[in-house]
Amino acid sequence: MAHQIKPLLGAASKITGGCGGDDWRIICGDSLKILPRLPEKSANLIFADPPYNLQLKNKLYRPNMTKVSGVDDDWDKFESFDVYDEFCRAWLLECRRLLADDGTLWVIGSYHNIGRLARLMQDIGYWLLNDVIWKKSNPMPNFRGVRFTNATETLLWAKKSEKAKYTFNHQQMKAENGGKQMTSVWEFPLCGGKERLRDTHGDKLHSTQKPEALLRRVIMSSTNPGDVVVNPFLGSGTTLGVARKLGRIGVGIEREKKYTQLAYKRVLAARKDFVILENPIKPPRVAFKKLIEERLIKKGRNIYFRQGEIKAQILQSGNIKLNGQWNQIGSIHRMGALAGDSAECNGWMNWYIKESDGFVCINEIREKYRSRIGT
């Protein structure tokens, strides 16, 4: 791996406007100018969260006439579809040059741009592996009531060419999905709570900040510790922060100086805190009741569904009592399905404990227990 790390970080370190540490680097500049200066075949994974070109024309207000904090930044505006396509073709070509032969590219977008990106990727020579749907568990309503509520974004996962080999940690993903093969529909809430970066007035510091859980799955599924992760549109630094927590090498490029400053602080403070299963093929089963018995989770406390208003009380039996209109008792999975109005639910990934400094997913508590017992 050293032959990849040193050229990439070395080249990044020589570019004016860069900052970082021994295993990560942030470069302030235009991706179309920076990417050509990085050595070819030096990245194992590229995660691109480019401008969506949302084509927003008017301000949007809620029924109470408060303004919706949408994406109206200048960096998301393009003169025409042709100009946007030319921009995307340029960075997609550079990313393909930068990818190792067995590396993969992840691109995220919405219905505004994902179709254009998919065609460009195929025209350039990428081979699509999956389109992954990010289903938002707490989407913004359509306040005017003239369309369906937009509750998804799409991630395209592609390798460099049709015959190229690539990394996919199937067993790790299966283990994280309760022993079942993970599908291409991923449900995560929008970035919020303590994780969402805000100013002193409570306003978002970046309009399109992605949740860490989403990036964690992307990086865990398609890289190994020590691999090189690159983000050509770094934004608030989520990708590099998660990469560092997972023991990967990170390089990010961001045009806006105010965002590079945010990202630098986030990545600098990032420490390895995600538990990587030592035996992902068959992790030991840990019952919710066991965490109560070990006093890692206290009986009688409230537990919150997707960090929202729906809550339940933890019982000594290992079940939870769903409050409100349901007033029912059952497992974290059955009560999660009821709270989420779905046929099934992985309760481990959807229930949270509220601490003084924010919410903690109960799955993190379970994984820390597994780590403690040496499995």
Side-chain angles (χ1 to χ4, degrees), residues 34-184:
I34 301 298
L35 286 171
R37 299 174 64 181
L38 299 178
E40 66 176 335
K41 300 183 180 182
S42 58
N44 300 103
L45 180 145
I46 297 176
F47 179 83
D49 185 3
Y52 286 10
N53 190 26
L54 296 178
Q55 310 115 49
L56 297 180
K57 304 297 182 182
N58 302 308
K59 296 179 180 180
L60 180 61
Y61 293 88
R62 299 181 179 87
N64 63 2
M65 296 309 296
T66 57
K67 183 182 175 183
V68 175
S69 179
V71 183
D72 55 3
D73 308 85
D74 289 339
W75 49 258
D76 192 60
K77 298 174 182 177
F78 293 81
E79 296 178 6
S80 65
F81 286 127
D82 287 341
V83 172
Y84 182 70
D85 289 350
E86 182 179 354
F87 163 74
C88 290
R89 179 182 290 276
W91 65 258
L92 281 167
L93 280 168
E94 282 301 325
C95 284
R96 190 164 183 268
R97 183 193 65 83
L98 189 62
L99 271 180
D101 290 336
D102 58 354
T104 56
L105 169 74
W106 286 83
V107 179
I108 187 169
S110 68
Y111 67 89
H112 302 85
N113 69 327
I114 203 66
R116 311 186 78 86
L117 289 170
R119 177 168 182 173
L120 286 170
M121 289 168 67
Q122 289 181 315
D123 288 347
I124 289 170
Y126 288 99
W127 188 261
L128 297 181
L129 294 166
N130 275 117
D131 62 333
V132 173
I133 306 302
W134 169 25
K135 179 183 177 183
K136 303 171 185 177
S137 56
N138 56 342
M140 181 185 297
N142 185 274
F143 294 107
R144 295 174 60 194
V146 295
R147 302 184 187 183
F148 297 109
T149 295
N150 183 25
T152 64
E153 291 186 32
T154 300
L155 297 92
L156 299 176
W157 182 35
K159 56 181 180 175
K160 199 168 180 178
S161 63
E162 180 180 0
K163 296 183 179 180
K165 296 181 179 180
Y166 61 98
T167 297
F168 176 51
N169 297 316
H170 167 69
Q171 295 295 345
Q172 178 73 46
M173 293 298 99
K174 187 176 179 180
E176 295 193 4
N177 196 40
K180 297 180 180 179
Q181 186 172 0
M182 188 171 287
T183 72
S184 59

Side-chain angles (χ1 to χ4, degrees), residues 252-268:
I253 305 169
E254 175 52 50
R255 189 181 68 181
E256 305 292 329
K257 187 175 182 179
K258 61 180 180 179
Y259 295 153
T260 62
Q261 293 171 342
L262 286 177
Y264 177 80
K265 293 179 181 179
R266 284 186 78 188
V267 183
L268 185 65

Side-chain angles (χ1 to χ4, degrees), residues 202-274:
D203 296 326
K204 300 174 184 176
L205 288 172
H206 195 289
S207 55
T208 64
Q209 183 181 341
K210 299 300 186 293
E212 288 195 6
L214 180 69
L215 269 298
R216 177 187 185 277
R217 185 168 293 179
V218 167
I219 294 172
M220 287 289 289
S221 68
S222 44
T223 65
N224 295 307
D227 279 354
V228 180
V229 177
V230 175
N231 188 325
F233 308 100
L234 186 60
S236 61
T238 304
T239 304
L240 259 61
V242 174
R244 193 177 188 205
K245 291 178 180 181
L246 294 174
R248 274 64 169 176
I249 309 303
V251 171
I253 305 169
E254 175 52 50
R255 189 181 68 181
E256 305 292 329
K257 187 175 182 179
K258 61 180 180 179
Y259 295 153
T260 62
Q261 293 171 342
L262 286 177
Y264 177 80
K265 293 179 181 179
R266 284 186 78 188
V267 183
L268 185 65
R271 297 292 183 271
K272 182 179 177 182
D273 63 356
F274 287 128

